[in-house]
Amino acid sequence: MSTEPVSRPSASALSRHALSGPAMGSRWSAVFWSNAKVDIDALTGRLQAAVDRVEQQMSAWRRDSDLERLNATPVGAWTAIPKELSKVLATALDIGRRSEGAFDIGVGDLVRAWGCGGGSRTPDAELIAGLAGHPSFEPPKTLQLDMAGGRARRLAPLRLDLSGIAKGFGVDELARELGATGCPCWLVGIDGEMRAEGVKPDGRPWAVAHEKPVPGAREVLGMLELSGAAVATSGSYRHRVEVDGRTISHTMDPRRGAPLDNDLSAVTVLAETCMVADAWATALLVAGAVRGPELARRQGLAALFVRTDGTVLEAWP
């Protein structure tokens, strides 16, 4: 997405490296060119530590995560949280407001009730029924952040879930570590969320496949070229749950209080950071094929929408 001139590294002075490791229920990866001065073992350790730190702070699956500690704190009580978690929560609240509630981190109870989060993988009809009339997520009425004091408190019995933004932030943390090494060109990612910097030694930008949203298959719909940008995709075709013979999405529609059921299969967003791209991809998916592109244009977002019939819609700033 960057339009600034990008310096081209000398192929003769650089060597290519590819690293990977476990991350947030998936795998992280890093491909980059560097000179011989980079300590690859030490860098691998820092990259792994970066994603481990994000998981420790923001996982909805780990009972000992900082997010789950906040969820377990009594309503109205302040609890200390790490600066990274504060940053992600603040960004989530901002995008929730700008998306008019399409991005909602207060759906944790709903996610668990439908068997899509930590705990049981089977929908619980009693829990689902019990959420009727549950307070809606309306920050700052339901969540307050004290950024300067490094603390947060819930003002309503709502469970927070950062599944729609934490992985993107994890990619940004990988990018931060690689950027600190001085490497001129790199591509990092967790699952399908990616961020790239610079151009490869042959002068070409990084090419990332735009996947066709076909359940149970890996097919390429097109290619995206990245340099100084991040990309994230949210879809209803990959992580799903079977209920009474019907397949439902793992993404929740906060307006309906139920799994998402609309005319979109996937949304891909390009942005400066992967955290922002990740959250907006979820918001636009929830918004749907009519409201989504309109919202993207109002917010100056570059996005691709794939409808359930295979039609591709584009929104560019």
Side-chain angles (χ1 to χ4, degrees):
M1 269 182 34
S2 174
T3 58
E4 296 295 322
V6 179
S7 61
R8 177 176 171 178
S10 170
S12 61
L14 302 175
S15 55
R16 181 182 183 277
H17 302 275
L19 309 175
S20 66
M24 309 171 75
S26 183
R27 302 281 296 177
W28 65 264
S29 63
V31 179
F32 59 99
W33 270 265
S34 71
N35 58 39
K37 296 180 181 179
V38 175
D39 185 329
I40 297 301
D41 289 339
L43 177 58
T44 301
R46 291 198 301 273
L47 293 172
Q48 186 64 59
V51 294
D52 288 346
R53 183 168 56 250
V54 174
E55 183 169 8
Q56 174 59 49
Q57 292 186 20
M58 305 175 201
S59 173
W61 295 81
R62 296 181 56 162
R63 293 185 178 181
D64 64 342
S65 73
D66 292 292
L67 177 67
E68 286 303 292
R69 183 168 52 82
L70 175 59
N71 280 329
T73 300
V75 170
W78 288 101
T79 185
I81 59 175
K83 62 180 181 179
E84 294 89 352
L85 179 55
S86 292
K87 178 180 180 179
V88 171
L89 285 171
T91 302
L93 297 185
D94 178 59
I95 293 177
R97 176 184 57 80
R98 291 164 58 195
S99 67
E100 300 170 348
F103 185 72
D104 187 340
I105 61 171
V107 295
D109 287 323
L110 196 61
V111 169
R112 291 198 173 197
W114 281 92
C116 299
S120 173
R121 303 300 293 166
T122 303
D124 188 316
E126 185 175 344
L127 285 177
I128 293 170
L131 291 175
H134 207 54
S136 59
F137 186 63
E138 301 178 71
K141 296 180 181 179
T142 51
L143 177 66
Q144 288 185 343
L145 295 178
D146 177 5
M147 300 293 286
R151 58 182 188 163
R153 64 174 175 173
R154 297 175 305 131
L155 299 178
L158 291 169
R159 177 177 294 276
L160 305 176
D161 188 305
L162 296 176
S163 299
I165 190 172
K167 189 178 291 185
F169 181 72
V171 174
D172 290 335
E173 287 294 276
L174 291 172
R176 181 182 59 79
E177 288 291 348
L178 263 180
T181 68
C183 294
C185 51
W186 41 259
L187 175 70
V188 294
I190 300 176
D191 205 1
E193 327 289 39
M194 313 291 291
R195 182 169 168 177
E197 187 59 56
V199 295
K200 292 181 285 187
D202 61 6
R204 294 181 299 169
W206 296 93
V208 176
H210 182 212
E211 189 176 65
K212 185 180 294 186
V214 178
R218 294 285 186 179
E219 297 183 33
V220 175
L221 181 63
M223 299 298 293
L224 299 171
E225 293 186 336
L226 293 183
S227 178
V231 63
T233 297
S234 288
S236 58
Y237 63 99
R238 190 65 65 197
H239 303 291
R240 306 186 298 173
V241 178
E242 295 288 337
V243 180
D244 297 328
R246 184 169 63 96
T247 300
I248 64 172
S249 171
H250 75 295
T251 300
M252 296 295 133
D253 185 341
R255 298 164 300 180
R256 297 175 55 243
L260 185 64
D261 183 14
N262 64 17
D263 47 3
L264 286 176
S265 291
V267 176
T268 296
V269 173
L270 285 82
E272 290 186 3
T273 69
C274 205
M275 171 176 61
V276 168
D278 194 9
W280 273 113
T282 299
L284 298 179
L285 179 69
V286 170
V290 175
R291 181 174 164 234
E294 295 174 351
L295 179 58
R297 294 187 186 99
R298 288 201 307 270
Q299 295 296 327
L301 298 168
L304 295 171
F305 300 78
V306 182
R307 299 180 62 124
T308 52
D309 64 3
T311 305
V312 178
L313 309 173
E314 299 182 2
W316 302 102

